[in-house]
Amino acid sequence: MEKVRVGFIGYGCRGKEMMKTLLNMCENATVAAVCDAYPDRADEAYNAVLEKTGKAPFKTTNADEIINMKDLDAVLIFAAWESHVPIAVAAMESGKYVGVEVGGAYSVDDCRRLVETYEKTGVPCMMLENCCYGVKELSVLKMVREGLFGTVVHCSGGYHHDLREEIAGGNINRHYRLRNYLSRNCENYPTHELGPIAKVLNINRGNRMVSLVSVASRSCGMEEYIKKHAEKYPDLQGLPFKQGDIVNTVITCADGATILLTLDTTLPRSYSRAFTVRGTAAAYQGLNDSLFIDGVHSEAFSNPEDLYWGNGKEYREKYTHPLWEKYGEKAKAAGHDGMDYMVLSAFFEAVLKKTQTPIDVYDAAAWMCITPLSEESIKKGGAPVAIPDFTGGKWKTPKKSPDLEFTLDW
Amino acid sequence: MEKVRVGFIGYGCRGKEMMKTLLNMCENATVAAVCDAYPDRADEAYNAVLEKTGKAPFKTTNADEIINMKDLDAVLIFAAWESHVPIAVAAMESGKYVGVEVGGAYSVDDCRRLVETYEKTGVPCMMLENCCYGVKELSVLKMVREGLFGTVVHCSGGYHHDLREEIAGGNINRHYRLRNYLSRNCENYPTHELGPIAKVLNINRGNRMVSLVSVASRSCGMEEYIKKHAEKYPDLQGLPFKQGDIVNTVITCADGATILLTLDTTLPRSYSRAFTVRGTAAAYQGLNDSLFIDGVHSEAFSNPEDLYWGNGKEYREKYTHPLWEKYGEKAKAAGHDGMDYMVLSAFFEAVLKKTQTPIDVYDAAAWMCITPLSEESIKKGGAPVAIPDFTGGKWKTPKKSPDLEFTLDW
């Protein structure tokens, strides 16, 4: 079996998860090199590969050494947010496919650099947006494609994840979120919901995002949390956090559909991505995993839960996406709701077949630019900000091939 | 027993509901006069009062005749949205307490007129925002007042009610929503959620709303619905609706808290007001009636419903608002979740005692102005628009008395 030779950069929390899935599940990839800026983490990555495969990978703390290697097919980037674009650009320039972990950009220019580098080199760059492959997201996408929703008018979702402990622990666990939450105020993590929504709304494939407004609440969650746990975080007492607790961003698309994204990471709550799709014929609400079909379900004034609340599962059985039909069992066995296995498989298949990746550099640029543009809008009191067209007009062409496809028939 | 002598204006759908509650439940009020611009509806109102009480009320199709009556204590306005402010102003000028059904304003000047008339005449004007008295809203308010939520940072909610049939039927049922949906694009019905949220955030009582941004999706729901039901609505075929299907409005308050309001009335869905309060110590989500308390409930990655989903009821028993403790049983017997009885009782009590109403003219102005300001923001592509201070600086004084109080001890 031909194998993708991978350089693996970044072995923090997310890197470890993805390494595990890669080593355990992806027979078509081999980790030839590992890198982390922290020597102890580079050692850990090295040991993980050696233990699992019996083969010692090349090891370094300098990402450039990975980029400069000659016998690598692809680079996977799980390092800090700030390093995503520089490493991705360097890797494309060195001819290596790029798979980059999710995150927002720091400037629109960074997004342009990604696109320009791809157009110059022809080397694909895929954002590894695992949530595009979620079982709920893909089955709703299938329903949308089959017309169940009628015209899609509005979508919403967000990253609703109480990260206070992770952020406050940044000086101990060396997590880049701490410095970002201290110094920035923006929709810093837009893609977990924007990715699946962009697929539903055909962004860059017949539609595009044209403008946004973004408003941040005040920032109280982190400071109160740190004060409450004073013994645990003595060095953070009284430090002001710039990141607002809740950031709402409303995006308008070329076809008039709107997208509401909510960043919600520093207040107590349960995890949710609240993936929601609203059409003229149906509604899906991720918060309670419920599908409302016009003419099938009926509106109830006080007791909607009796009628269809939580019926998403039932419909997923009817509208199983082909990818989940074929690979669902294996994906679930890989953990993290099966999404990581799916997204890695899609990436490795593109590398092996030397094809375009199902999430391409234009997707990455469009999704990542929401972060700096939201920062600008927030600074201007919520003023509307134009979203650039990174495709040079190519967004107007509807895509014909299936969504997010991969076949695994290597 | 002393009774409030009421002039009742507007006998459409909402007027009928409120008349029923008034006649059946409110011993302290008597309907002395009825009015509707449509003669058949004025007749219906007349007959309803006569049948229930044995006494014939004065009847007219001209609201001015109600305004000019000498022996009325109060006017209740359930007529079309467009008439709320003109009738309220005229009634205050004639010395009658005003109870006005919910709705948005058509201009900021209209809101100013309400306030100026009150300040000139000293006659109170209460928006009958029944949702302020909802059992969920009031118990969450009690939790907030007792500190359970810590610092409140963000609230959200909206009017999520599929009204397509009512709107399309406007030429038959003579509902003012039809002409409004054809001609306007705005957050046209902000107060059902904004009212309770304003109480939580102490708006006009130590806090105020300072600016908003508002973005509307395209308008597809009504036109597709009318096309689908062509035989039922032949006169509406092909008419363009101006009102966007989903309108998201983000309001920023003086203390930095934010409010997200969503108008959602022309796409299939179940009813919800999705009243949501987010603090540094707890979260309440109305969509699934769930309360998450920091340190009590734990975040779960994939299966939050197992842990606390739908636990709101349990906490309402612990945090029953005094109004619901005292009058809950009677209120529920009156129908419409008990809210109508509560709001009418609060109004009649203020009239009888000649006191200020618990929802006052400054509340009405602040809540109603969201409609024209959202219209302006939408027209300007989501640009931020300043929200006026209608209190002349008095908003800075925290209110000391309890919330939304009434005693019923007449």
Side-chain angles (χ1 to χ4, degrees), chain A residues 155-160 193 197 259-263 273-276:
Chain A
C155 295
S156 63
Y159 192 53
H160 305 167
E193 273 326 278
I197 289 170
I259 303 167
L260 170 66
L261 294 182
T262 306
L263 179 78
R273 296 194 299 274
F275 176 57
T276 295

Side-chain angles (χ1 to χ4, degrees), chain B residues 17-297:
Chain B
E17 275 183 323
M18 289 298 257
M19 180 69 92
K20 206 173 146 193
T21 301
L22 196 168
L23 293 176
N24 289 329
M25 306 294 298
C26 300
E27 304 92 348
N28 54 329
T30 183
V31 180
V34 297
C35 169
D36 194 290
Y38 296 108
D40 58 315
R41 285 185 179 171
D43 289 344
E44 269 189 87
Y46 174 91
N47 290 331
V49 176
L50 183 60
E51 272 169 37
K52 182 73 192 175
T53 67
K55 288 182 199 161
F58 173 72
K59 178 183 77 177
T60 176
T61 56
N62 179 357
D64 288 343
E65 294 192 15
I66 304 276
I67 302 297
N68 293 331
M69 285 175 72
K70 294 232 178 318
D71 51 353
L72 287 183
D73 306 306
V75 162
L76 290 176
I77 307 166
F78 300 105
W81 292 340
E82 294 89 339
S83 67
H84 286 184
V85 170
I87 299 177
V89 165
M92 279 189 275
E93 282 177 343
S94 75
K96 297 170 182 71
Y97 267 67
V98 174
V100 59
E101 173 58 9
V102 305
Y106 286 78
S107 70
V108 173
D109 277 350
D110 268 1
C111 300
R112 288 214 175 87
R113 272 213 298 158
L114 278 180
V115 167
E116 284 165 10
T117 308
Y118 163 71
E119 291 183 344
K120 189 177 71 184
T121 62
V123 177
C125 171
M126 176 169 173
M127 175 173 277
L128 302 171
E129 185 37 270
N130 54 354
C131 295
C132 285
Y133 289 93
V135 65
K136 293 175 184 172
E137 286 86 347
L138 276 181
S139 67
V140 169
L141 182 62
K142 184 179 155 79
M143 294 176 209
V144 169
R145 294 288 180 254
E146 295 187 6
L148 188 73
F149 280 78
T151 310
V152 177
V153 171
H154 180 72
C155 295
S156 63
Y159 191 52
H160 306 168
H161 193 178
D162 177 1
L163 295 170
R164 289 173 300 168
E165 192 175 354
E166 176 185 292
I167 298 165
N171 284 346
I172 305 144
N173 63 24
R174 300 173 292 192
H175 202 294
Y176 44 87
R177 273 203 170 89
L178 175 58
R179 60 176 180 264
N180 277 279
Y181 277 70
L182 283 166
S183 65
R184 296 163 92 202
N185 191 10
C186 54
E187 169 44 272
N188 64 34
Y189 210 60
T191 72
H192 273 345
E193 272 327 277
L194 185 53
I197 288 170
K199 294 295 174 185
V200 164
L201 289 173
N202 301 309
I203 300 301
N204 289 346
R205 288 151 181 84
N207 199 3
R208 80 174 191 89
M209 299 182 281
V210 294
S211 71
L212 66 75
V213 300
S214 197
V215 178
S217 78
R218 60 176 167 171
S219 176
C220 297
M222 288 310 304
E223 292 171 39
E224 289 194 22
Y225 181 83
I226 283 162
K227 197 173 165 188
K228 193 174 161 192
H229 300 88
E231 284 173 30
K232 203 168 167 191
Y233 310 111
D235 50 332
L236 297 179
Q237 294 305 310
L239 269 189
F241 278 75
K242 206 170 166 188
Q243 179 64 56
D245 289 325
I246 306 269
V247 177
N248 279 298
T249 302
V250 191
I251 299 168
T252 302
C253 298
D255 71 353
T258 48
I259 303 167
L260 170 67
L261 294 181
T262 306
L263 179 77
D264 178 355
T265 54
T266 51
L267 296 173
R269 65 161 302 141
S270 62
Y271 182 90
S272 167
R273 298 193 299 274
F275 175 57
T276 295
V277 176
R278 304 295 308 285
T280 52
Y284 176 75
Q285 288 186 300
L287 182 65
N288 48 23
D289 190 24
S290 294
L291 184 72
F292 184 100
I293 303 175
D294 201 19
V296 174
H297 303 107

